[in-house]
Amino acid sequence: MRKHNKNLTATFIGLFTLATGTTLLASPDPRPGQQQQQQQRAQGQQGQQGASHVDLVIALDTSSSMDGLIDSARQKLWDVVNLLAQARPRPVLRVGLVSYGNDGYDAGKGWVRKESDLTTDLDGIYARLFALHTNGGSEYVARAVRDATRDMRWSQEPGTLKIIFVAGNEPANQDPQVQLVGAVQGARQRGIFVNAIYCGADGGGDAVSWRQVAALGNGQYAAIDQNQVVTIATPQDAELARLSSELNKTYVAYGTAGGVRAEQQAAQDKNAQAASAPAAASRAAAKASALYRNDDWDLVDARSRGKDLAKMKAEELPEPLRKMDATTRDRYLDEKAKERETLQKKIAAANGEREAYLKAERARRAGKGAKALDDALGDAIRKEATSAGFAF
């Protein structure tokens, strides 16, 4: 077990929440202003139906030397969301999470655990990242790749971009039962890119096996300096965190799980803030993007995706809406949607200033220190997404 990567600071994936739409049911005689909203909903659904699909699985080493790696995932998940939000056509993306190399896991499964199947619930993925803990372990990279390939419910949509990122610091070929070549080739046979992030010096002998993973997986390889710090505070961070909190007030939870999901949204705001002010600012920007969707528990998103409230049972609605007639209810949700749109524009403006600040600061720091993990991941995502027909 190696201890030299304790303070790895980096970016990790993830991704963004989009759910499939249904046909919009237009009112026979919309109120003034409502017709434009209906047209916007229809356009959004048409765009969703024509979008490409992206399935992305993150496999993290959770052995005792990888505390920094996990911290980096918590720090930088939302930066990757914001990068992918620039992709056109707008993707439908699901994210899965695997952890491996932890002595607390099932030895019969090679100390590999599926934390989450592929899902559009980005808040749920973030919560699972914060639940990860390191503990000793044997790091079986081949087993992690094999299980990610075999046990995830990969999309069957034609043309889906499928990606695995696996990160760790021990030799990638040490699994005594599962051969590395076979595991990675199995992923490629299913059309999955396998990217390798080696947490160590590129000149070390262990790096060779990680290069092999990337070569066999038709993916990208990166060796990361664990001491490279990439988090940059900006003058806009505090305002973005405030606006993010205000944004939560525009959500209208419904269904049996609505209240729990609303609490989870607020909890992940707190987790991001605990990680760092820049992480919270990045999360705010992601929440304001079109890629952050919660139509499975929020009535504002659900209605914009074509959900017919008239067909919902009374007990599925939040208490205040149960006492409203259809017209009053629609007016209430219209107002929430308007408030959300206003806040999203404010967040986008503040984030634009933040991005300009970050660009200038990165340019000032260019060439100082080794390549950081966020650079490596960004390069891989752009290259593989471009190969699948996306443009940035």
Side-chain angles (χ1 to χ4, degrees):
M1 189 57 45
R2 306 206 177 164
K3 305 293 183 183
H4 64 284
N5 286 307
K6 182 150 187 177
N7 296 315
L8 175 66
T9 302
T11 304
F12 255 90
I13 329 307
L15 311 146
F16 23 98
T17 57
L18 285 172
T20 54
T22 55
T23 303
L24 179 68
L25 300 176
S27 300
D29 183 21
R31 301 190 310 275
Q34 192 177 34
Q35 185 173 12
Q36 182 180 5
Q37 288 185 343
Q38 290 174 346
Q39 290 172 347
Q40 291 172 345
R41 294 172 200 164
Q43 291 169 358
Q45 290 165 14
Q46 290 168 359
Q48 178 71 16
Q49 292 165 359
S52 297
H53 289 247
V54 177
D55 279 357
L56 188 149
V57 173
I58 311 163
L60 297 177
D61 180 350
T62 56
S63 63
S64 59
S65 56
M66 290 284 99
D67 294 292
L69 177 64
I70 297 171
D71 287 342
S72 296
R74 297 165 180 166
Q75 286 276 351
K76 294 294 185 175
L77 174 65
W78 305 107
D79 285 347
V80 178
V81 173
N82 292 326
L83 168 63
L84 291 169
Q86 301 172 27
R88 296 295 181 271
R90 185 178 299 152
V92 177
L93 183 137
R94 301 185 305 158
V95 180
L97 181 62
V98 170
S99 62
Y100 71 100
N102 189 310
D103 278 348
Y105 298 169
D106 186 348
K109 295 183 178 180
W111 298 282
V112 176
R113 188 168 73 186
K114 183 170 76 171
E115 302 292 341
S116 173
D117 209 331
L118 286 154
T119 178
T120 60
D121 179 13
L122 191 55
D123 284 349
I125 290 291
Y126 202 51
R128 290 183 182 276
L129 279 175
F130 271 83
L132 292 178
H133 298 285
T134 58
N135 180 28
S138 298
E139 297 95 311
Y140 293 166
V141 173
R143 197 91 48 113
V145 172
R146 185 201 67 178
D147 289 2
T149 301
R150 182 186 64 183
D151 297 342
M152 293 288 173
R153 295 191 181 98
W154 296 92
S155 172
Q156 300 304 307
E157 289 288 332
T160 297
L161 174 61
K162 304 173 184 179
I163 301 174
I164 293 173
F165 276 93
V166 58
N169 72 322
E170 289 288 334
N173 56 1
Q174 64 178 282
D175 193 321
Q177 296 183 17
V178 179
Q179 295 300 307
L180 183 66
V181 173
V184 180
Q185 287 181 341
R188 284 305 300 150
Q189 288 169 3
R190 297 194 185 192
I192 303 170
F193 290 100
V194 183
N195 299 282
I197 307 298
Y198 173 53
C199 304
D202 191 28
D206 294 347
V208 174
S209 60
W210 287 89
R211 285 186 177 275
Q212 184 183 24
V213 171
L216 291 170
N218 199 25
Q220 304 299 302
Y221 161 83
I224 303 305
D225 178 357
Q226 65 271 18
N227 297 314
Q228 181 75 357
V229 178
V230 296
T231 299
I232 302 173
T234 77
Q236 294 78 30
D237 290 350
E239 176 64 5
L240 283 165
R242 185 189 70 80
L243 291 171
S244 177
S245 180
E246 290 297 311
L247 193 66
N248 289 359
K249 299 176 184 178
T250 70
Y251 283 79
V252 182
Y254 74 91
T256 56
V260 173
R261 296 288 295 278
E263 291 176 0
Q264 177 175 263
Q265 182 186 58
Q268 300 326 305
D269 286 350
K270 291 180 180 178
N271 277 338
Q273 190 67 54
S276 70
S282 291
R283 172 168 164 80
K287 286 169 64 181
S289 77
L291 301 178
Y292 186 77
R293 300 289 181 89
N294 295 283
D295 52 289
D296 55 344
W297 67 269
D298 167 52
L299 276 180
V300 177
D301 273 355
R303 195 173 61 140
S304 73
R305 306 291 293 165
K307 189 174 185 65
D308 186 0
L309 272 63
K311 296 182 178 180
M312 294 180 64
K313 297 178 181 179
E315 57 266 28
E316 292 182 290
L317 295 170
E319 186 64 35
L321 271 66
R322 296 177 189 176
K323 302 174 183 179
M324 298 179 184
D325 58 36
T327 300
T328 305
R329 186 174 56 205
D330 283 343
R331 188 179 297 116
Y332 175 85
L333 293 174
D334 287 345
E335 185 61 30
K336 288 294 183 182
K338 184 178 179 180
E339 291 174 8
R340 185 176 302 178
E341 182 180 6
T342 298
L343 287 166
Q344 287 171 333
K345 289 179 178 179
K346 289 181 179 180
I347 290 173
N351 191 58
E353 296 175 1
R354 177 174 180 265
E355 287 296 328
Y357 183 96
L358 289 171
K359 182 178 180 180
E361 186 64 13
R362 290 185 185 115
R364 187 182 69 81
R365 301 184 184 192
K368 299 179 181 179
K371 187 176 184 180
L373 188 56
D374 56 339
D375 300 318
L377 292 174
D379 291 345
I381 289 170
R382 285 179 181 273
K383 183 172 182 179
E384 288 160 12
T386 300
S387 74
F390 291 97
F392 288 87

